[in-house]
């Protein structure tokens, strides 16, 4: 599904949702903003943390971001 957000004459950002049907419901599994995949961005960030440290470091960073 594609769309745009922003003021028509000032600035618009292209947004594309990638959907997957799960049973009777549709679920968003990726979001592209101006052609950049949110999922790919997270994957790159997570891989970097794991390469520099460990999976435990990734979990710690995610928990800190979530505030738990």
């Amino acid at each position: 599904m594609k769309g745009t957000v922003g003021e028509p004459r000032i600035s618009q950002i292209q947004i594309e949702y990638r959907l997957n049907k799960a049973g009777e419901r549709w679920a968003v599994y990726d979001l592209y903003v101006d052609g950049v995949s949110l999922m790919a961005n997270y994957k790159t960030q997570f891989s970097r943390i794991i390469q520099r440290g460990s999976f435990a470091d990734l979990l710690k960073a995610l928990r800190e971001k979530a505030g738990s």
Side-chain angles (χ1 to χ4, degrees):
M1 179 173 6
K2 294 182 180 183
T4 57
V5 288
E7 295 294 323
R9 295 191 183 131
I10 300 171
S11 172
Q12 289 193 345
I13 298 171
Q14 294 280 337
I15 296 179
E16 184 176 332
Y17 299 90
R18 298 287 170 100
L19 303 170
N20 187 33
K21 191 165 186 181
E24 296 296 316
R25 300 178 56 202
W26 287 94
V28 175
Y29 72 88
D30 199 4
L31 174 69
Y32 283 73
V33 179
D34 274 345
V36 178
S37 165
L38 185 63
M39 187 167 61
N41 188 299
Y42 279 135
K43 182 179 178 182
T44 299
Q45 291 178 48
F46 295 170
S47 294
R48 191 175 302 129
I49 293 170
I50 292 170
Q51 286 174 354
R52 291 180 181 166
S54 67
F55 184 71
D57 292 332
L58 172 61
L59 290 178
K60 180 181 176 188
L62 290 172
R63 287 183 178 126
E64 287 172 358
K65 283 270 190 189
S68 58

